[in-house]
Amino acid sequence: MNGVQFDALREAAPDGVACDGLRVEREANGYVFETPEETRAGLDAAAFEATAAANPWFVSNWHYWQGIEDPARRAYLRWLERADEHGVRERYEALATGVRREWGQLGIKAGLDGDGERIYELRHAADADREIDALDVRADPLDAREIATEDPKGRYRPLKTAPTLRRGWVFAALDGRDLYRAVDYFYPATVANWFREREGDLDVTHYRETATRQTGIYGIVDGLAPEAVGWLAEACCVDSQCLKRREWDESEAEALGVPRGDGEFPCREPCSLVIAAARKLTLLEREGTRTYEFELTPSEKEQLEALVDTVAEGRIDDVREADLGEGANRYRTRFLRAKRVDGEGRLCGVPTREDDRGEDGGDDGERED
Amino acid sequence: MPALVVVAHGSHLNPGSHAPTFDHADTIRASGAFAEVREAFWKEEPSFREVLRTVESEEVYVVPLFISEGYFTEQIIPRELRLEGWDVAAWDSDGTSADHATFRARDVEKTVHYCGPAGTHDSMTDVIVRRAESVTGDPDVGEGFGLAVVGHGTGRNENSAKAIHYHADRLEAMDRFEEVQALFMDEEPEVDDVAEFFESDDVVVVPLFVADGYHTQEDIPEDMGLTEDYREGYDVPTAVEGTRIWYAGAVGTEPLMADVLLERAADAGADVGEAVAAVRRRTRGPEPAAGD
Ligand code: SF4
């Protein structure tokens, strides 16, 4: 507790103070100072100050939280230190060494500054145990934008909540406001929507409603059948692809039979990436099936299946160069191509269409990015 | 103090697309004119749909970092922001004169001052001039120089050509450059034949685009004959059929663009204090060497 905190408490006392078990009031016969352990009343100014000084954590705790008005930010920062689960003493003991929480791939550690208010450290959750010297130390929450732009291989991340956040950086000492801003730059709107969900007023917009709202080149996405919407969610929204927990479905009445994910924060509506994917898939889904005849060995059929699986799981880079046992091994795949794919790229030389022209699913030609 | 939200297109494919938006937002943030400054994108996050809930202020100025009025400013943005009772008539615009209008958003308890796009604000003309100054490295550039303002054309949106003509006319009226021409990518007069439209030996070419990307970095340089293959780059200036072409790249990357965003908000009633003057001063960075 410092002088500023105590002065603020004395000034607030006439209006009454109540925070995490601390109650302070100013009554006709003096101050009241109550903690979960004891109640002292009729305190004169000196006794009031002495009592406050004997309970510094309660005072600094009150002072910290009374300064945070925005309800979402307040709820989030309190969640970070498990304020709803633990009393002030227990919490301060934990904060002294740091209280850790994970938010997607972010690891956040709440701690105390010298006067009993809060300081936060933010890093990649997987870097939790790394020495700070081994990390790139950042101070400006806006740096989150740059860190979040590319994945570890330098590829652009169009989806902020994809589980592909780079490691190796740390924001060593942020105040509550800057921590909140940094989190919102890594994972925009996740705290706002998490808070709405906690308050019971998350405004979910389901696929069909979002699709109906679209215009221009996206106007067609309402043509995607409910079954395909499920495949779309399975393709893009499961935990291996996106850390938000999908709360939208085909419609209010019709849930998708796809895992929603275990993420801490909800997804309230199909995002722009999913809508852009839906557009391409709507066009592709307009094609009817046809029967083809291919001659493959059983191992070749299995190899094609392994290729699909390896690409879908993003495991290509895990297949070792000399591991010919893997269907997606490059030499195996080149062998298959040499044997089964003709000079025009056709599997087993089988024509794709009657006239055997045109390579894609009839895109409408508009440039899309 | 209110918040400023800058809304832009963004991209799923090109990581450079959001850079000008972030840069200008940072400039305005540093001016201290708003309690919060937030960027939102059609293709990135936060989305237009969710950005309002990420700001704490109850009063929000929304400025589209778009070049012209049209589909995005009139339909997409107001729809996604859920502006209650939005009607394009609220702007009472002739295609380049949208100013601002005030609404409530349906999903948050906030008042939203929805401004016209940056690209059609009068001060955008100054940004074009500043761009010409930066690319030539000459703060007095004008004498002996022609200036071409380049746009998409009317293919998608009639107002996009209007915005180009609007600024070309204003530049003409400034009487600073020898000649001023509006040119287009996909209609006459075409940027491909840039040298034919000018008598001056030096011509500055400024594309009215928000961010550098496919059009400004690949199409236009190749179409004008600055290079056979954009990957090989080109010199500034490059002589094409006897005319020296000073190609400026997207106007939206010019730091002074932050001033336009700020002025849009000020026109809509934001008390930005000294920020306009400060931003105008600050964005006049060190003069780049010619050919940079
Ligand atoms: S729609 Fe799917 S991919 Fe997009 S943010 Fe939501 S859960 Fe993630």
Side-chain angles (χ1 to χ4, degrees):
Chain A
M1 184 185 83
N2 60 31
V4 172
Q5 294 162 350
F6 176 71
D7 291 346
L9 183 67
R10 192 175 45 211
E11 273 165 39
D15 294 328
V17 161
C19 174
D20 291 339
L22 172 71
R23 186 171 69 88
V24 173
E25 267 160 48
R26 177 152 196 193
E27 295 175 342
N29 63 342
Y31 292 94
V32 177
F33 194 105
E34 180 183 293
T35 65
E37 291 90 18
E38 61 171 346
T39 304
R40 300 192 57 187
L43 302 169
D44 64 17
F48 174 54
E49 185 161 4
T51 310
N55 291 280
W57 292 350
F58 282 94
V59 178
S60 59
N61 183 65
W62 162 78
H63 190 257
Y64 181 64
W65 294 115
Q66 61 87 34
I68 301 171
E69 272 173 36
D70 183 73
R73 177 149 53 99
R74 184 183 166 91
Y76 184 67
L77 296 176
R78 288 179 67 80
W79 177 84
L80 284 179
E81 65 178 60
R82 301 177 192 271
D84 295 342
E85 298 165 40
H86 304 301
V88 171
R89 290 190 199 287
E90 210 180 341
R91 234 188 301 151
Y92 266 63
E93 275 158 18
L95 286 166
T97 51
V99 177
R100 289 175 193 246
R101 283 281 207 180
E102 288 188 8
W103 190 255
Q105 287 184 297
L106 300 176
I108 301 160
K109 188 165 83 176
L112 297 171
D113 74 1
D115 292 320
E117 301 203 20
R118 307 296 188 271
I119 197 102
Y120 301 89
E121 192 212 72
L122 172 65
R123 52 170 86 187
H124 193 294
D127 286 336
D129 298 324
R130 279 176 75 178
E131 293 296 329
I132 206 155
D133 298 348
L135 301 169
D136 175 13
V137 180
R138 308 289 188 119
D140 185 350
L142 294 171
D143 285 2
R145 294 181 307 200
E146 172 232 314
I147 296 170
T149 295
E150 292 180 350
D151 73 8
K153 288 184 192 143
R155 295 174 302 196
Y156 180 48
R157 297 172 72 237
L159 182 67
K160 288 278 197 305
T161 43
T164 54
L165 196 61
R166 274 205 280 137
R167 296 176 52 179
W169 46 269
V170 61
F171 294 82
L174 297 171
D175 64 17
R177 177 180 288 273
D178 279 353
L179 181 272
Y180 191 75
R181 287 173 71 208
V183 169
D184 200 54
Y185 273 107
F186 278 113
Y187 295 144
T190 54
V191 178
N193 287 326
W194 165 88
F195 178 65
R196 280 179 175 247
E197 187 178 50
R198 265 167 78 103
E199 299 290 297
D201 65 356
L202 182 67
D203 47 342
V204 174
T205 308
H206 296 285
Y207 181 85
R208 207 46 62 187
E209 197 185 323
T210 300
T212 312
R213 194 177 81 233
Q214 303 303 312
T215 51
I217 61 170
Y218 298 108
I220 61 167
V221 302
D222 193 26
L224 199 64
E227 186 182 31
V229 174
W231 296 328
L232 175 65
E234 187 174 332
C236 305
C237 304
V238 296
D239 280 351
S240 66
Q241 308 300 308
C242 177
L243 299 169
K244 285 188 196 169
R245 170 172 30 84
R246 182 180 52 79
E247 288 299 319
W248 56 268
D249 282 293
E250 156 65 19
S251 64
E252 178 77 50
E254 197 174 338
L256 300 173
V258 177
R260 299 185 181 283
D262 300 321
E264 199 68 61
F265 37 83
C267 174
R268 46 161 297 283
E269 178 170 12
C271 66
S272 75
L273 198 73
V274 159
I275 292 299
R279 173 171 178 273
K280 182 69 187 174
L281 297 167
T282 302
L283 292 167
L284 297 177
E285 285 291 298
R286 284 178 184 168
E287 289 181 25
T289 60
R290 14 188 332 171
T291 305
Y292 295 99
E293 202 170 290
F294 302 103
E295 291 254 314
L296 300 171
T297 66
S299 294
E300 285 166 353
K301 175 172 175 292
E302 281 173 359
Q303 189 185 348
L304 289 176
E305 290 155 1
L307 273 165
V308 169
D309 194 54
T310 308
V311 173
E313 293 301 324
R315 284 202 310 109
I316 304 180
D317 290 340
D318 302 340
V319 179
R320 288 166 299 172
E321 184 136 349
D323 188 356
L324 279 283
E326 283 271 7
N329 171 271
R330 196 171 71 246
Y331 298 133
R332 277 275 303 275
T333 306
R334 290 176 64 85
F335 183 92
L336 183 74
R337 184 175 67 173
K339 178 179 172 188
R340 293 295 189 195
V341 180
D342 73 6
E344 286 163 52
R346 300 178 302 194
L347 184 63
C348 301
V350 175
T352 303
R353 294 179 172 76
E354 248 102 68
D355 57 5
D356 207 20
R357 279 192 300 124
E359 279 139 18
D360 62 21
D363 207 329
D364 57 7
E366 277 195 75
R367 200 185 153 74
E368 184 44 45
D369 60 0
Chain B
M1 250 205 296
L4 174 71
V5 170
V6 181
V7 291
H9 193 281
S11 168
H12 288 154
L13 299 174
N14 171 14
S17 171
H18 60 213
T21 310
F22 287 156
D23 290 346
H24 305 322
D26 286 348
T27 303
I28 296 171
R29 219 173 256 124
S31 79
F34 293 90
E36 306 161 82
V37 179
R38 192 67 168 109
E39 313 84 342
F41 302 93
W42 174 230
K43 295 289 189 169
E44 299 176 36
E45 298 150 281
S47 61
F48 299 162
R49 193 97 165 133
E50 295 187 352
V51 67
L52 292 176
R53 62 188 63 192
T54 70
V55 295
E56 296 181 2
S57 313
E58 274 159 24
E59 190 172 17
V60 186
Y61 291 84
V62 175
V63 183
L65 183 50
F66 282 80
I67 289 301
S68 54
E69 293 173 32
Y71 181 55
F72 278 98
T73 61
E74 294 170 0
Q75 293 185 49
I76 297 279
I77 299 167
R79 179 189 83 202
E80 299 290 294
L81 291 175
R82 300 180 239 201
L83 300 185
E84 185 88 65
W86 160 258
D87 184 330
V88 66
W91 268 351
D92 189 22
S93 172
D94 62 10
T96 57
S97 65
D99 188 356
H100 63 91
T102 300
F103 301 89
R104 298 289 291 177
R106 277 194 298 278
D107 60 324
V108 287
E109 297 287 314
K110 294 186 197 294
T111 299
V112 178
H113 305 282
Y114 181 48
C115 304
T120 54
H121 193 268
D122 281 357
S123 60
M124 190 69 194
T125 310
D126 302 339
V127 183
I128 299 170
V129 173
R130 181 72 72 85
R131 194 81 197 135
E133 294 171 6
S134 332
V135 74
T136 56
D138 177 1
D140 302 312
V141 64
E143 209 184 323
F145 274 74
L147 176 65
V149 185
V150 183
H152 237 296
T154 49
R156 284 191 191 180
N157 166 12
E158 181 196 351
N159 287 337
S160 117
K162 274 193 197 167
I164 308 295
H165 284 297
Y166 180 74
H167 292 297
D169 291 348
R170 286 172 50 84
L171 288 157
E172 181 89 62
M174 288 170 94
D175 219 7
R176 172 165 172 169
F177 295 88
E178 303 288 338
E179 321 157 67
V180 177
Q181 271 285 349
L183 300 179
F184 299 94
M185 292 184 59
D186 45 20
E187 68 181 58
E188 295 287 329
E190 280 198 33
V191 68
D192 305 34
D193 312 315
V194 57
E196 286 175 24
F197 297 108
F198 288 90
E199 286 172 11
S200 314
D201 291 338
D202 288 280
V203 175
V204 179
V205 177
V206 181
L208 225 57
F209 285 77
V210 167
D212 273 317
Y214 173 71
H215 292 307
T216 63
Q217 291 176 316
E218 304 177 24
D219 263 6
I220 299 178
E222 287 182 9
D223 288 352
M224 288 195 301
L226 298 183
T227 175
E228 297 267 299
D229 181 343
Y230 74 93
R231 280 165 295 209
E232 285 162 16
Y234 48 85
D235 294 329
V236 179
T238 295
V240 176
E241 292 163 28
T243 304
R244 275 188 299 277
I245 303 293
W246 302 73
Y247 180 59
V251 71
T253 60
E254 182 63 32
L256 183 60
M257 195 74 200
D259 167 68
V260 183
L261 300 172
L262 205 50
E263 293 204 34
R264 270 289 183 214
D267 292 350
D271 176 11
V272 301
E274 299 297 301
V276 168
V279 165
R280 284 198 159 233
R281 244 188 345 265
R282 193 166 312 139
T283 54
R284 185 176 277 286
E287 308 297 345
D292 253 12

